[in-house]
Every structure is written in structure tokens, then in C-alpha cells.
Amino acid sequence: MTAHRVDVPLGERAYSVHIGPGVRQRLPEVVERLGARRVAIVSARPPDAVPDPGVPALRTRANDGEQAKTLATVEGLCREFAAFGLTRADAVVSCGGGTTTDVVGLAAALYHRGLPVVHLPTSLLAQVDASVGGKTAVNLPAGKNLVGAYWQPAEVLCDTDFLATLPEPEWTNGYGEIARAHFIGTGDLRGRAVPDQIAASVALKAAIVAEDERDAGRRHLLNYGHTLGHAIELATGFRRRHGEAVAVGTVFAGRLARALGRITGERALEHTEVVRHYGLPDTLPAGVDTDELISLMRSDKKATGGGLAFVLDGPAGPELVRDVDPATVAAVLDAMPSAVLTA
Ligand code: GLY
């Protein structure tokens, strides 16, 4: 199978994303192109997951998961880089899920005020979304991703062989983002091979990021389904995984757009069909309260001045819609099917 290549056209920070089986073997050629004398490889996978980079390397362990996304982890990595003697003539390589590419990306952005970083994302979520676009961040007790930087990678190698051992919940996580891509520009990816689905999602993201790297406008589209999705994650204490929550948020976005007269009933139904096709949930978790969800959605970063803002489909395609009537939002939430409460 041939690999896909998607270019992210960002001028002097332009880079390519390679998608397909075995593409991690391109690492030495990428390191050579960067002219790096040495590299620090930070990996949440077994040591043999990352090929020999062709230059002297520090190999250090990372842990996937939100718990490890802290400033303390970033400091620990930077201390290891310093002890190894990493300089601005060198580079960093990350290998792992989206939390690893986030935290290692931030360490690369900060160490010596910025070293090139090459991402080898290993989860579907990281391959379709997190590793591309330059958002890096860690969490604070006050919230997720509160400390971060835009730091574009020098190259991304999405080796689909990594997915062979991906646990089922991780597939669901990634498919939440692929399902939402259906409604913001990729069109229908159902029935396509996984590398094609990843490549189409990455191509969409590359085009959007090239237009709005700093999330001031069009990049909001990538948050289709995420306003309710983030609220569900918070309301359930993250028992609903990101992809599942985004899937429910996508169904809700279709229903809300319909209630506001922006799309047909048929298009709203397509949201449920697509989400179900990917094996994702389309029901609100049992026991979540409409008022709590609305309150959480008022804190969404797209909302300004306490109003409710959603990316919604419409006659001119998806767009950010601000100041949506809370009563309409409540009515649509109340009409959503709810998962059965189990003991
Ligand atoms: N994951 C959304 C973004 O990168 O903007």
C-alpha cells in the first residue's frame, strides 16, 4: 500500500504528514533533512517502536494519559535534554498518543526557545488530529490545556502499523473526530480504508490550519460537535471518552441546526447515521442535567460574554453561530435520547 502525503502549507514552518504502513522508517531521512546532529526520542511505546534515527540519540520514556500532561513532566524532559547536552542544532522526536505529542511538543517549543520536533503519533486520535496543527499544551488543576504554545512539527509520520494493537476504546476515540469531519469538509469517508480516512481528515485540518493557524476564525470549524462534547466530558468526570462525547455533540449539532431552521430534517438525520456507522454513541449519558450542560457550554472558549456559541451546519456550510437562544438549546437537549441508567 502506498503512503499518503499531506502538506501543511505554512510558509517557512511548512511540513508534511506521511500516512501509511511503515512510514516511521522515514525517520532517519527526516533527521538528516533537518540537519540534526543528535535527537532526544521521547516514547510512550516500547523501545523498538522508534527506528534508529541515524544519529546519536537519547531515548527516554513517556506516559500517555492526561495525568502526565503537566508542567512537571515538561520540566523533567527539559532536564533530561540538558543532561544529554541537546542543543539548538538537534531535534526532538515524540512517539505516542495525543497526550504525548502534546507534552513533548511543548517541551520542544520551550527548550532552548524551540527545537524541531518530529511526531510519530500512535493512536487514531493523534494521527487524525492531535499531532497535526501545532497545538501543544499541558493541564493545570484549573483546566485542560491551559498552558501551551503553537509549535508546528517539522514532520509527522502517521504509521498505520501502530494501529494494529490499538485497543477498541482508542478506535472509538479517533472515529469521533473522523465522524465530525464528515460535516466540516471531508464528505463521506464511510467505507474507505483507514489510511484514506486519516489522510482525508488530515488534509482537511491542514487546509484549515494554513488559513487560521492561531484559532482566530476558521479553525473553530474543527470543534464541530465539541461544545457539547467537552461539556459531556466534564459532566461525566471524563467517563465518556473524548471521541464518544464529540459523537454525541455531533448528533446534537445536527439537531440544533435543524431546530434553528438551518438544515433539513434529512441532513440532521445524517448526523445520527454517520455517528452510528462508526459505532459511536448518539445518546446523552444517563443522569446528566440539561442546566449543568448549558452552564458548562457557556464556558466554552468559542463563547464570548457568557452566550452560547456552536459550530453549526447551514445553507452556506458549517460556521460559528454565536448567541444561540438558551431555551432552544435546552429544548434540543431535552429531546435527545438518553442512555439507559445501569447500576
Ligand atoms: N483539535 C482542534 C485544533 O487543533 O484546532
Side-chain angles (χ1 to χ4, degrees):
M1 192 187 289
T2 53
H4 298 265
R5 175 180 142 178
V6 176
D7 294 328
V8 186
L10 280 168
E12 61 182 17
R13 282 166 293 108
Y15 57 97
S16 300
V17 183
H18 300 269
I19 303 136
V23 297
R24 79 185 95 164
Q25 301 306 335
R26 295 178 186 211
L27 182 63
E29 143 199 346
V30 172
V31 168
E32 190 180 353
R33 180 181 62 74
L34 293 173
R37 295 173 322 152
R38 306 199 293 170
V39 294
I41 298 171
V42 186
S43 174
R45 296 290 172 272
D48 61 357
V50 180
D52 183 342
V55 294
L58 165 75
R59 286 186 183 257
T60 187
R61 280 281 308 160
N63 291 312
D64 273 344
E66 294 294 335
Q67 299 297 332
K69 266 182 65 170
T70 64
L71 278 169
T73 306
V74 172
E75 181 180 349
L77 288 173
C78 291
R79 283 173 181 263
E80 288 191 66
F81 297 166
F84 181 64
L86 212 65
T87 72
R88 294 184 72 180
D90 302 325
V92 174
V93 176
S94 83
C95 176
T99 51
T100 293
T101 59
D102 272 5
V103 78
V104 179
L106 183 58
L110 296 176
Y111 185 75
H112 277 264
R113 299 194 182 87
L115 252 57
V117 61
V118 181
H119 291 314
L120 275 62
T122 58
S123 69
L124 185 59
L125 183 74
Q127 295 195 354
V128 296
D129 188 47
S131 65
V132 179
K135 283 188 181 175
T136 71
V138 294
N139 304 328
L140 289 181
K144 274 184 75 174
N145 297 332
L146 287 188
V147 181
Y150 288 95
W151 190 246
Q152 298 296 340
E155 201 98 343
V156 183
L157 303 176
C158 295
D159 192 328
T160 49
D161 286 343
F162 280 129
L163 305 177
T165 52
L166 202 65
E168 189 55 39
E170 283 298 328
W171 282 100
T172 318
N173 232 3
Y175 270 121
E177 301 290 3
I178 291 174
R180 70 87 167 88
H182 180 114
F183 299 99
I184 57 171
T186 60
D188 198 347
L189 301 177
R190 286 173 288 182
R192 304 260 298 269
V194 172
D196 295 355
Q197 292 173 329
I198 298 168
S201 303
V202 169
L204 171 73
K205 183 160 187 178
I208 290 175
V209 167
E211 223 180 278
D212 176 25
E213 185 183 6
R214 295 292 174 121
D215 211 358
R218 204 164 130 71
R219 192 162 177 168
H220 291 329
L221 294 189
L222 295 170
N223 275 328
Y224 196 77
H226 282 57
T227 312
L228 179 62
H230 286 149
I232 290 173
E233 285 183 277
L234 288 167
T236 60
F238 295 93
R239 281 190 303 282
R240 273 279 167 106
R241 298 173 70 85
H242 182 70
E244 294 170 339
V246 166
V248 179
T250 297
V251 170
F252 167 78
R255 286 171 165 245
L256 182 59
R258 175 67 192 134
L260 295 172
R262 297 175 55 87
I263 58 172
T264 63
E266 196 182 346
R267 179 69 167 165
L269 192 60
E270 193 177 327
H271 287 67
T272 305
E273 286 168 357
V274 168
V275 158
R276 284 189 184 161
H277 170 86
Y278 290 115
L280 294 157
D282 62 343
T283 56
L284 283 175
V288 296
D289 178 63
T290 296
D291 290 341
E292 186 190 0
L293 290 176
I294 290 181
S295 162
L296 289 166
M297 289 193 289
R298 285 187 194 281
S299 309
D300 186 87
K301 67 177 183 224
K302 296 183 293 306
T304 46
L308 289 165
F310 299 89
V311 180
L312 294 175
D313 201 2
E319 60 186 336
L320 182 63
V321 182
R322 294 190 197 277
D323 295 321
V324 179
D325 174 28
T328 308
V329 173
V332 173
L333 281 173
D334 287 339
M336 288 275 291
S338 192
V340 178
L341 196 57
T342 49

